[in-house]
Amino acid sequence: YRVPGAVANIQALKLAFDEGETISMNDNRWSEINTLAGCFKLYLRELPDSLLTSEMLPSFVAAAKSDDVVSTLRAVVNQVPSYNYYLLKRLVEHLNKVTEKSESNRMDAPNLAMVFSMSFLSDDDYGSNLGSLQTILNLMIKTPQDFFENVSMERPSAVYRSDYHTF
């Protein structure tokens, strides 16, 4: 995730998704892992609202500064909309698996938190909230089980928004 993909290939993959094309990993334009990673980070940055939501961001920042970060953060995570919750859960679980190979990929939790934190903030939030967000992501990546329920994909407030599958 640290190494950027070729911008032209990332944009081509993004366009293919936006236009509803069937994506084949046999296509040489985006078979390179850094292109896929770059496209995913671009997807997160271009969501209509941050994965943590603009409304909830102050609560996440406050959680990072609280005396009981884990409990406070768990409570805040459980307040995000269902579609955000499940994407965040899957992302953090995936990044936790990436850290299992950190000796070879050099991507431990702090590095991944640094790389992904910028995908969760608008340009206006970089300066004031970046450190708090990196703290939050670092904790969630290290121990996702502390923050996410191990339940089925159905939550009582589950909502599907079709506009969230495009950039």
Side-chain angles (χ1 to χ4, degrees), residues 60-128:
F60 278 99
V61 171
K65 298 173 182 175
S66 72
D67 291 335
D68 187 359
V69 177
V70 173
S71 295
T72 307
L73 184 54
R74 182 184 316 113
V76 174
V77 165
N78 281 296
Q79 293 175 30
V80 299
S82 291
Y83 41 82
N84 297 54
Y85 176 91
Y86 286 111
L87 179 54
L88 181 62
K89 179 180 190 289
R90 297 297 181 231
L91 172 61
V92 168
E93 289 170 342
H94 166 71
L95 295 177
N96 176 266
K97 289 186 184 303
V98 171
T99 66
E100 292 173 5
K101 305 286 185 187
S102 64
E103 284 191 30
S104 60
N105 65 26
R106 295 181 289 170
M107 294 305 288
D108 58 10
N111 286 342
L112 288 165
M114 189 179 308
V115 168
F116 274 88
S117 60
M118 291 180 255
S119 298
F120 287 75
L121 294 172
S122 69
D123 292 339
D124 298 337
D125 294 319
Y126 278 151
S128 60

